[in-house]
Amino acid sequence: MKVKLIAHTPEPEKVVAAAAKLCYSNAQIDTLLDGLTPEKSKDFVEMLASMGHESPTEHASFTFAIEGVSRSLLAQITRHRIASFSVQSQRYVNLKQPEFVTPPEILNDAASLEEFNKSMTLATENYQKVTQLLKNAHKEVFLAQGMDEKTANRSAEKKALEDARFILPNACTTKMIVTMNARSLNNFFRERCCNRAQWEIRELADEMLKQVCEVAPSLFVRSGPPCVSGSCPEGKMSCGQIVEMREKYSQIKSKK
């Protein structure tokens, strides 16, 4: 897995503080940013967090480049609807040698790993085989319709990939660009940093949290699973590791 924060709102804490200032004072647009030093901005943002006033944090956005994650993770992260996603297409990209994410539990069990690798190898072979078979069939049709060789070849491959991709498993890796505002990110962290979240998306959430804390620590001072700043909402399903989780996220957010 590779995760990189590639862009964000300039001076995100100042922008959020300006939005908060507008909400709570008779500030004028022309002077809205006056006096908003980094220290004052930090105070405004932390005040918002203590009040639970989240809407001003929507004005700061963060964009991540992510690769080496599974299509299984893709299905989970796109459930977070207040976000923008651009994902590598299996329809247009021929994954001649697809890569796969191996779950740690499989990686640590020799017999399971052997069967997993066999399955991935077979899926790759079948994907390549079906792609070629469909491409050949489509190309004949396109040539018969009067297409030139180059155009027929390109169109046939594209059409073949549309259907051959159905063979690829959830373990197949993908790449994406993801943009979320700070409010959506905090919701994402609450859901996906929890020990009950699936291991891969939890690893992603932890790394994203670490990186945003480097550029806007006050916006994410309470970020992490719910037990970091309050009680665990999982009831009987709680992992029972509140102390350990608070220590873990204290360390993640202090790595700047």
PDB file of all heavy atoms in Angstrom, residues 104-136:
ATOM      1  N   PRO A 104      -3.056 -10.750   5.681  1.00  0.00           N
ATOM      2  CA  PRO A 104      -2.043 -11.244   6.623  1.00  0.00           C
ATOM      3  C   PRO A 104      -2.329 -12.640   7.152  1.00  0.00           C
ATOM      4  O   PRO A 104      -1.406 -13.446   7.318  1.00  0.00           O
ATOM      5  CB  PRO A 104      -2.092 -10.204   7.750  1.00  0.00           C
ATOM      6  CG  PRO A 104      -2.586  -8.962   7.103  1.00  0.00           C
ATOM      7  CD  PRO A 104      -3.554  -9.412   6.062  1.00  0.00           C
ATOM      8  N   GLU A 105      -3.603 -12.958   7.410  1.00  0.00           N
ATOM      9  CA  GLU A 105      -3.934 -14.283   7.942  1.00  0.00           C
ATOM     10  C   GLU A 105      -3.590 -15.376   6.942  1.00  0.00           C
ATOM     11  O   GLU A 105      -3.182 -16.474   7.322  1.00  0.00           O
ATOM     12  CB  GLU A 105      -5.416 -14.350   8.321  1.00  0.00           C
ATOM     13  CG  GLU A 105      -5.811 -13.446   9.477  1.00  0.00           C
ATOM     14  CD  GLU A 105      -5.153 -13.855  10.787  1.00  0.00           C
ATOM     15  OE1 GLU A 105      -4.859 -15.052  10.970  1.00  0.00           O
ATOM     16  OE2 GLU A 105      -4.922 -12.958  11.623  1.00  0.00           O
ATOM     17  N   ILE A 106      -3.745 -15.080   5.675  1.00  0.00           N
ATOM     18  CA  ILE A 106      -3.364 -16.043   4.640  1.00  0.00           C
ATOM     19  C   ILE A 106      -1.851 -16.092   4.518  1.00  0.00           C
ATOM     20  O   ILE A 106      -1.256 -17.163   4.396  1.00  0.00           O
ATOM     21  CB  ILE A 106      -4.016 -15.671   3.292  1.00  0.00           C
ATOM     22  CG1 ILE A 106      -5.537 -15.865   3.379  1.00  0.00           C
ATOM     23  CG2 ILE A 106      -3.420 -16.487   2.143  1.00  0.00           C
ATOM     24  CD1 ILE A 106      -6.285 -15.465   2.116  1.00  0.00           C
ATOM     25  N   LEU A 107      -1.223 -14.921   4.576  1.00  0.00           N
ATOM     26  CA  LEU A 107       0.227 -14.842   4.443  1.00  0.00           C
ATOM     27  C   LEU A 107       0.935 -15.638   5.540  1.00  0.00           C
ATOM     28  O   LEU A 107       2.006 -16.212   5.315  1.00  0.00           O
ATOM     29  CB  LEU A 107       0.660 -13.376   4.506  1.00  0.00           C
ATOM     30  CG  LEU A 107       2.080 -13.033   4.054  1.00  0.00           C
ATOM     31  CD1 LEU A 107       2.302 -13.395   2.601  1.00  0.00           C
ATOM     32  CD2 LEU A 107       2.351 -11.555   4.283  1.00  0.00           C
ATOM     33  N   ASN A 108       0.331 -15.697   6.699  1.00  0.00           N
ATOM     34  CA  ASN A 108       0.950 -16.373   7.842  1.00  0.00           C
ATOM     35  C   ASN A 108       0.583 -17.846   7.965  1.00  0.00           C
ATOM     36  O   ASN A 108       0.978 -18.503   8.933  1.00  0.00           O
ATOM     37  CB  ASN A 108       0.575 -15.636   9.142  1.00  0.00           C
ATOM     38  CG  ASN A 108       1.177 -14.248   9.208  1.00  0.00           C
ATOM     39  OD1 ASN A 108       2.265 -14.004   8.689  1.00  0.00           O
ATOM     40  ND2 ASN A 108       0.469 -13.319   9.835  1.00  0.00           N
ATOM     41  N   ASP A 109      -0.168 -18.356   7.009  1.00  0.00           N
ATOM     42  CA  ASP A 109      -0.539 -19.768   7.029  1.00  0.00           C
ATOM     43  C   ASP A 109      -0.097 -20.395   5.707  1.00  0.00           C
ATOM     44  O   ASP A 109      -0.657 -20.103   4.653  1.00  0.00           O
ATOM     45  CB  ASP A 109      -2.045 -19.932   7.206  1.00  0.00           C
ATOM     46  CG  ASP A 109      -2.465 -21.382   7.339  1.00  0.00           C
ATOM     47  OD1 ASP A 109      -2.433 -21.914   8.456  1.00  0.00           O
ATOM     48  OD2 ASP A 109      -2.799 -21.992   6.295  1.00  0.00           O
ATOM     49  N   ALA A 110       0.920 -21.252   5.771  1.00  0.00           N
ATOM     50  CA  ALA A 110       1.558 -21.790   4.560  1.00  0.00           C
ATOM     51  C   ALA A 110       0.572 -22.484   3.637  1.00  0.00           C
ATOM     52  O   ALA A 110       0.590 -22.284   2.416  1.00  0.00           O
ATOM     53  CB  ALA A 110       2.688 -22.738   4.950  1.00  0.00           C
ATOM     54  N   ALA A 111      -0.295 -23.311   4.203  1.00  0.00           N
ATOM     55  CA  ALA A 111      -1.246 -24.062   3.366  1.00  0.00           C
ATOM     56  C   ALA A 111      -2.235 -23.108   2.688  1.00  0.00           C
ATOM     57  O   ALA A 111      -2.534 -23.259   1.490  1.00  0.00           O
ATOM     58  CB  ALA A 111      -1.993 -25.087   4.219  1.00  0.00           C
ATOM     59  N   SER A 112      -2.733 -22.135   3.442  1.00  0.00           N
ATOM     60  CA  SER A 112      -3.672 -21.167   2.859  1.00  0.00           C
ATOM     61  C   SER A 112      -2.999 -20.326   1.793  1.00  0.00           C
ATOM     62  O   SER A 112      -3.593 -20.028   0.750  1.00  0.00           O
ATOM     63  CB  SER A 112      -4.227 -20.254   3.958  1.00  0.00           C
ATOM     64  OG  SER A 112      -4.968 -20.984   4.904  1.00  0.00           O
ATOM     65  N   LEU A 113      -1.753 -19.927   2.056  1.00  0.00           N
ATOM     66  CA  LEU A 113      -1.020 -19.110   1.096  1.00  0.00           C
ATOM     67  C   LEU A 113      -0.803 -19.858  -0.214  1.00  0.00           C
ATOM     68  O   LEU A 113      -0.924 -19.280  -1.303  1.00  0.00           O
ATOM     69  CB  LEU A 113       0.332 -18.690   1.684  1.00  0.00           C
ATOM     70  CG  LEU A 113       1.208 -17.801   0.805  1.00  0.00           C
ATOM     71  CD1 LEU A 113       0.492 -16.497   0.466  1.00  0.00           C
ATOM     72  CD2 LEU A 113       2.539 -17.502   1.503  1.00  0.00           C
ATOM     73  N   GLU A 114      -0.512 -21.141  -0.114  1.00  0.00           N
ATOM     74  CA  GLU A 114      -0.308 -21.936  -1.322  1.00  0.00           C
ATOM     75  C   GLU A 114      -1.570 -21.968  -2.172  1.00  0.00           C
ATOM     76  O   GLU A 114      -1.519 -21.778  -3.400  1.00  0.00           O
ATOM     77  CB  GLU A 114       0.108 -23.361  -0.942  1.00  0.00           C
ATOM     78  CG  GLU A 114       0.380 -24.246  -2.154  1.00  0.00           C
ATOM     79  CD  GLU A 114       0.808 -25.660  -1.768  1.00  0.00           C
ATOM     80  OE1 GLU A 114       0.917 -25.943  -0.558  1.00  0.00           O
ATOM     81  OE2 GLU A 114       1.024 -26.470  -2.689  1.00  0.00           O
ATOM     82  N   GLU A 115      -2.708 -22.181  -1.530  1.00  0.00           N
ATOM     83  CA  GLU A 115      -3.973 -22.235  -2.270  1.00  0.00           C
ATOM     84  C   GLU A 115      -4.350 -20.858  -2.818  1.00  0.00           C
ATOM     85  O   GLU A 115      -4.865 -20.736  -3.931  1.00  0.00           O
ATOM     86  CB  GLU A 115      -5.088 -22.766  -1.363  1.00  0.00           C
ATOM     87  CG  GLU A 115      -4.916 -24.221  -0.954  1.00  0.00           C
ATOM     88  CD  GLU A 115      -4.784 -25.151  -2.147  1.00  0.00           C
ATOM     89  OE1 GLU A 115      -5.567 -24.991  -3.121  1.00  0.00           O
ATOM     90  OE2 GLU A 115      -3.899 -26.026  -2.118  1.00  0.00           O
ATOM     91  N   PHE A 116      -4.074 -19.825  -2.030  1.00  0.00           N
ATOM     92  CA  PHE A 116      -4.358 -18.454  -2.468  1.00  0.00           C
ATOM     93  C   PHE A 116      -3.556 -18.129  -3.723  1.00  0.00           C
ATOM     94  O   PHE A 116      -4.101 -17.609  -4.711  1.00  0.00           O
ATOM     95  CB  PHE A 116      -4.013 -17.478  -1.347  1.00  0.00           C
ATOM     96  CG  PHE A 116      -4.255 -16.027  -1.677  1.00  0.00           C
ATOM     97  CD1 PHE A 116      -5.504 -15.452  -1.529  1.00  0.00           C
ATOM     98  CD2 PHE A 116      -3.210 -15.225  -2.134  1.00  0.00           C
ATOM     99  CE1 PHE A 116      -5.726 -14.115  -1.821  1.00  0.00           C
ATOM    100  CE2 PHE A 116      -3.417 -13.887  -2.438  1.00  0.00           C
ATOM    101  CZ  PHE A 116      -4.675 -13.331  -2.282  1.00  0.00           C
ATOM    102  N   ASN A 117      -2.269 -18.426  -3.697  1.00  0.00           N
ATOM    103  CA  ASN A 117      -1.410 -18.135  -4.848  1.00  0.00           C
ATOM    104  C   ASN A 117      -1.832 -18.912  -6.077  1.00  0.00           C
ATOM    105  O   ASN A 117      -1.776 -18.402  -7.201  1.00  0.00           O
ATOM    106  CB  ASN A 117       0.054 -18.432  -4.507  1.00  0.00           C
ATOM    107  CG  ASN A 117       0.642 -17.416  -3.538  1.00  0.00           C
ATOM    108  OD1 ASN A 117       0.153 -16.287  -3.447  1.00  0.00           O
ATOM    109  ND2 ASN A 117       1.685 -17.795  -2.812  1.00  0.00           N
ATOM    110  N   LYS A 118      -2.277 -20.149  -5.884  1.00  0.00           N
ATOM    111  CA  LYS A 118      -2.782 -20.949  -7.007  1.00  0.00           C
ATOM    112  C   LYS A 118      -4.009 -20.275  -7.619  1.00  0.00           C
ATOM    113  O   LYS A 118      -4.145 -20.194  -8.839  1.00  0.00           O
ATOM    114  CB  LYS A 118      -3.150 -22.356  -6.535  1.00  0.00           C
ATOM    115  CG  LYS A 118      -1.981 -23.269  -6.241  1.00  0.00           C
ATOM    116  CD  LYS A 118      -2.485 -24.640  -5.781  1.00  0.00           C
ATOM    117  CE  LYS A 118      -1.342 -25.580  -5.431  1.00  0.00           C
ATOM    118  NZ  LYS A 118      -1.846 -26.886  -4.918  1.00  0.00           N
ATOM    119  N   SER A 119      -4.877 -19.791  -6.757  1.00  0.00           N
ATOM    120  CA  SER A 119      -6.098 -19.142  -7.229  1.00  0.00           C
ATOM    121  C   SER A 119      -5.786 -17.869  -8.006  1.00  0.00           C
ATOM    122  O   SER A 119      -6.398 -17.595  -9.046  1.00  0.00           O
ATOM    123  CB  SER A 119      -7.011 -18.809  -6.046  1.00  0.00           C
ATOM    124  OG  SER A 119      -7.433 -19.976  -5.388  1.00  0.00           O
ATOM    125  N   MET A 120      -4.832 -17.076  -7.495  1.00  0.00           N
ATOM    126  CA  MET A 120      -4.473 -15.836  -8.174  1.00  0.00           C
ATOM    127  C   MET A 120      -3.801 -16.116  -9.527  1.00  0.00           C
ATOM    128  O   MET A 120      -4.053 -15.420 -10.515  1.00  0.00           O
ATOM    129  CB  MET A 120      -3.545 -14.989  -7.296  1.00  0.00           C
ATOM    130  CG  MET A 120      -4.156 -14.550  -5.966  1.00  0.00           C
ATOM    131  SD  MET A 120      -5.720 -13.646  -6.096  1.00  0.00           S
ATOM    132  CE  MET A 120      -6.877 -14.953  -5.550  1.00  0.00           C
ATOM    133  N   THR A 121      -2.956 -17.143  -9.555  1.00  0.00           N
ATOM    134  CA  THR A 121      -2.298 -17.523 -10.811  1.00  0.00           C
ATOM    135  C   THR A 121      -3.326 -17.971 -11.833  1.00  0.00           C
ATOM    136  O   THR A 121      -3.269 -17.582 -13.014  1.00  0.00           O
ATOM    137  CB  THR A 121      -1.276 -18.650 -10.564  1.00  0.00           C
ATOM    138  OG1 THR A 121      -0.259 -18.169  -9.675  1.00  0.00           O
ATOM    139  CG2 THR A 121      -0.621 -19.085 -11.867  1.00  0.00           C
ATOM    140  N   LEU A 122      -4.282 -18.788 -11.386  1.00  0.00           N
ATOM    141  CA  LEU A 122      -5.321 -19.275 -12.295  1.00  0.00           C
ATOM    142  C   LEU A 122      -6.188 -18.132 -12.792  1.00  0.00           C
ATOM    143  O   LEU A 122      -6.522 -18.075 -13.984  1.00  0.00           O
ATOM    144  CB  LEU A 122      -6.185 -20.317 -11.578  1.00  0.00           C
ATOM    145  CG  LEU A 122      -7.304 -20.960 -12.415  1.00  0.00           C
ATOM    146  CD1 LEU A 122      -6.714 -21.683 -13.625  1.00  0.00           C
ATOM    147  CD2 LEU A 122      -8.120 -21.930 -11.560  1.00  0.00           C
ATOM    148  N   ALA A 123      -6.526 -17.212 -11.909  1.00  0.00           N
ATOM    149  CA  ALA A 123      -7.339 -16.070 -12.313  1.00  0.00           C
ATOM    150  C   ALA A 123      -6.610 -15.227 -13.360  1.00  0.00           C
ATOM    151  O   ALA A 123      -7.211 -14.766 -14.338  1.00  0.00           O
ATOM    152  CB  ALA A 123      -7.682 -15.215 -11.094  1.00  0.00           C
ATOM    153  N   THR A 124      -5.307 -15.022 -13.147  1.00  0.00           N
ATOM    154  CA  THR A 124      -4.503 -14.253 -14.098  1.00  0.00           C
ATOM    155  C   THR A 124      -4.475 -14.932 -15.461  1.00  0.00           C
ATOM    156  O   THR A 124      -4.665 -14.287 -16.509  1.00  0.00           O
ATOM    157  CB  THR A 124      -3.064 -14.081 -13.577  1.00  0.00           C
ATOM    158  OG1 THR A 124      -3.094 -13.364 -12.343  1.00  0.00           O
ATOM    159  CG2 THR A 124      -2.205 -13.320 -14.576  1.00  0.00           C
ATOM    160  N   GLU A 125      -4.229 -16.232 -15.454  1.00  0.00           N
ATOM    161  CA  GLU A 125      -4.165 -16.988 -16.711  1.00  0.00           C
ATOM    162  C   GLU A 125      -5.507 -16.932 -17.437  1.00  0.00           C
ATOM    163  O   GLU A 125      -5.557 -16.734 -18.663  1.00  0.00           O
ATOM    164  CB  GLU A 125      -3.765 -18.428 -16.426  1.00  0.00           C
ATOM    165  CG  GLU A 125      -2.332 -18.575 -15.942  1.00  0.00           C
ATOM    166  CD  GLU A 125      -1.999 -19.996 -15.510  1.00  0.00           C
ATOM    167  OE1 GLU A 125      -2.946 -20.820 -15.407  1.00  0.00           O
ATOM    168  OE2 GLU A 125      -0.804 -20.276 -15.260  1.00  0.00           O
ATOM    169  N   ASN A 126      -6.584 -17.119 -16.706  1.00  0.00           N
ATOM    170  CA  ASN A 126      -7.912 -17.104 -17.334  1.00  0.00           C
ATOM    171  C   ASN A 126      -8.280 -15.709 -17.836  1.00  0.00           C
ATOM    172  O   ASN A 126      -8.904 -15.557 -18.886  1.00  0.00           O
ATOM    173  CB  ASN A 126      -8.967 -17.604 -16.348  1.00  0.00           C
ATOM    174  CG  ASN A 126      -8.872 -19.097 -16.114  1.00  0.00           C
ATOM    175  OD1 ASN A 126      -8.338 -19.833 -16.943  1.00  0.00           O
ATOM    176  ND2 ASN A 126      -9.386 -19.560 -14.982  1.00  0.00           N
ATOM    177  N   TYR A 127      -7.878 -14.705 -17.090  1.00  0.00           N
ATOM    178  CA  TYR A 127      -8.124 -13.322 -17.516  1.00  0.00           C
ATOM    179  C   TYR A 127      -7.411 -13.040 -18.839  1.00  0.00           C
ATOM    180  O   TYR A 127      -8.008 -12.490 -19.780  1.00  0.00           O
ATOM    181  CB  TYR A 127      -7.631 -12.362 -16.432  1.00  0.00           C
ATOM    182  CG  TYR A 127      -7.563 -10.907 -16.838  1.00  0.00           C
ATOM    183  CD1 TYR A 127      -8.714 -10.145 -16.980  1.00  0.00           C
ATOM    184  CD2 TYR A 127      -6.332 -10.281 -17.074  1.00  0.00           C
ATOM    185  CE1 TYR A 127      -8.649  -8.799 -17.334  1.00  0.00           C
ATOM    186  CE2 TYR A 127      -6.249  -8.944 -17.429  1.00  0.00           C
ATOM    187  CZ  TYR A 127      -7.412  -8.211 -17.556  1.00  0.00           C
ATOM    188  OH  TYR A 127      -7.337  -6.881 -17.910  1.00  0.00           O
ATOM    189  N   GLN A 128      -6.153 -13.426 -18.918  1.00  0.00           N
ATOM    190  CA  GLN A 128      -5.381 -13.214 -20.133  1.00  0.00           C
ATOM    191  C   GLN A 128      -5.961 -14.010 -21.298  1.00  0.00           C
ATOM    192  O   GLN A 128      -6.067 -13.518 -22.435  1.00  0.00           O
ATOM    193  CB  GLN A 128      -3.926 -13.605 -19.894  1.00  0.00           C
ATOM    194  CG  GLN A 128      -3.205 -12.713 -18.892  1.00  0.00           C
ATOM    195  CD  GLN A 128      -1.857 -13.259 -18.467  1.00  0.00           C
ATOM    196  OE1 GLN A 128      -1.578 -14.456 -18.607  1.00  0.00           O
ATOM    197  NE2 GLN A 128      -1.008 -12.394 -17.929  1.00  0.00           N
ATOM    198  N   LYS A 129      -6.358 -15.254 -21.011  1.00  0.00           N
ATOM    199  CA  LYS A 129      -6.892 -16.136 -22.050  1.00  0.00           C
ATOM    200  C   LYS A 129      -8.207 -15.605 -22.615  1.00  0.00           C
ATOM    201  O   LYS A 129      -8.393 -15.521 -23.837  1.00  0.00           O
ATOM    202  CB  LYS A 129      -7.093 -17.541 -21.475  1.00  0.00           C
ATOM    203  CG  LYS A 129      -7.497 -18.590 -22.497  1.00  0.00           C
ATOM    204  CD  LYS A 129      -7.754 -19.938 -21.823  1.00  0.00           C
ATOM    205  CE  LYS A 129      -6.507 -20.455 -21.135  1.00  0.00           C
ATOM    206  NZ  LYS A 129      -6.725 -21.791 -20.513  1.00  0.00           N
ATOM    207  N   VAL A 130      -9.116 -15.246 -21.714  1.00  0.00           N
ATOM    208  CA  VAL A 130     -10.426 -14.756 -22.158  1.00  0.00           C
ATOM    209  C   VAL A 130     -10.288 -13.407 -22.865  1.00  0.00           C
ATOM    210  O   VAL A 130     -10.975 -13.147 -23.863  1.00  0.00           O
ATOM    211  CB  VAL A 130     -11.393 -14.656 -20.959  1.00  0.00           C
ATOM    212  CG1 VAL A 130     -12.680 -13.933 -21.348  1.00  0.00           C
ATOM    213  CG2 VAL A 130     -11.719 -16.053 -20.430  1.00  0.00           C
ATOM    214  N   THR A 131      -9.391 -12.562 -22.370  1.00  0.00           N
ATOM    215  CA  THR A 131      -9.145 -11.280 -23.036  1.00  0.00           C
ATOM    216  C   THR A 131      -8.728 -11.505 -24.486  1.00  0.00           C
ATOM    217  O   THR A 131      -9.249 -10.852 -25.411  1.00  0.00           O
ATOM    218  CB  THR A 131      -8.056 -10.476 -22.294  1.00  0.00           C
ATOM    219  OG1 THR A 131      -8.505 -10.161 -20.981  1.00  0.00           O
ATOM    220  CG2 THR A 131      -7.746  -9.179 -23.033  1.00  0.00           C
ATOM    221  N   GLN A 132      -7.790 -12.413 -24.678  1.00  0.00           N
ATOM    222  CA  GLN A 132      -7.294 -12.668 -26.033  1.00  0.00           C
ATOM    223  C   GLN A 132      -8.353 -13.298 -26.922  1.00  0.00           C
ATOM    224  O   GLN A 132      -8.505 -12.920 -28.094  1.00  0.00           O
ATOM    225  CB  GLN A 132      -6.056 -13.575 -25.982  1.00  0.00           C
ATOM    226  CG  GLN A 132      -5.300 -13.649 -27.308  1.00  0.00           C
ATOM    227  CD  GLN A 132      -4.816 -12.292 -27.787  1.00  0.00           C
ATOM    228  OE1 GLN A 132      -4.172 -11.563 -27.038  1.00  0.00           O
ATOM    229  NE2 GLN A 132      -5.138 -11.930 -29.027  1.00  0.00           N
ATOM    230  N   LEU A 133      -9.111 -14.246 -26.383  1.00  0.00           N
ATOM    231  CA  LEU A 133     -10.163 -14.907 -27.169  1.00  0.00           C
ATOM    232  C   LEU A 133     -11.231 -13.900 -27.605  1.00  0.00           C
ATOM    233  O   LEU A 133     -11.644 -13.884 -28.773  1.00  0.00           O
ATOM    234  CB  LEU A 133     -10.803 -16.027 -26.356  1.00  0.00           C
ATOM    235  CG  LEU A 133      -9.953 -17.283 -26.138  1.00  0.00           C
ATOM    236  CD1 LEU A 133     -10.604 -18.202 -25.108  1.00  0.00           C
ATOM    237  CD2 LEU A 133      -9.740 -18.030 -27.462  1.00  0.00           C
ATOM    238  N   LEU A 134     -11.667 -13.088 -26.672  1.00  0.00           N
ATOM    239  CA  LEU A 134     -12.682 -12.086 -27.001  1.00  0.00           C
ATOM    240  C   LEU A 134     -12.136 -11.038 -27.965  1.00  0.00           C
ATOM    241  O   LEU A 134     -12.835 -10.610 -28.892  1.00  0.00           O
ATOM    242  CB  LEU A 134     -13.170 -11.399 -25.722  1.00  0.00           C
ATOM    243  CG  LEU A 134     -14.054 -12.230 -24.793  1.00  0.00           C
ATOM    244  CD1 LEU A 134     -14.322 -11.471 -23.503  1.00  0.00           C
ATOM    245  CD2 LEU A 134     -15.364 -12.606 -25.472  1.00  0.00           C
ATOM    246  N   LYS A 135     -10.891 -10.650 -27.757  1.00  0.00           N
ATOM    247  CA  LYS A 135     -10.272  -9.656 -28.634  1.00  0.00           C
ATOM    248  C   LYS A 135     -10.218 -10.160 -30.068  1.00  0.00           C
ATOM    249  O   LYS A 135     -10.550  -9.423 -31.010  1.00  0.00           O
ATOM    250  CB  LYS A 135      -8.867  -9.324 -28.134  1.00  0.00           C
ATOM    251  CG  LYS A 135      -8.145  -8.297 -28.995  1.00  0.00           C
ATOM    252  CD  LYS A 135      -6.742  -8.004 -28.438  1.00  0.00           C
ATOM    253  CE  LYS A 135      -5.998  -7.032 -29.348  1.00  0.00           C
ATOM    254  NZ  LYS A 135      -4.634  -6.728 -28.837  1.00  0.00           N
ATOM    255  N   ASN A 136      -9.803 -11.411 -30.231  1.00  0.00           N
ATOM    256  CA  ASN A 136      -9.731 -11.988 -31.581  1.00  0.00           C
ATOM    257  C   ASN A 136     -11.100 -12.013 -32.252  1.00  0.00           C
ATOM    258  O   ASN A 136     -11.235 -11.681 -33.435  1.00  0.00           O
ATOM    259  CB  ASN A 136      -9.165 -13.403 -31.519  1.00  0.00           C
ATOM    260  CG  ASN A 136      -7.694 -13.417 -31.106  1.00  0.00           C
ATOM    261  OD1 ASN A 136      -7.004 -12.416 -31.199  1.00  0.00           O
ATOM    262  ND2 ASN A 136      -7.216 -14.565 -30.652  1.00  0.00           N
TER     263      ASN A 136
END
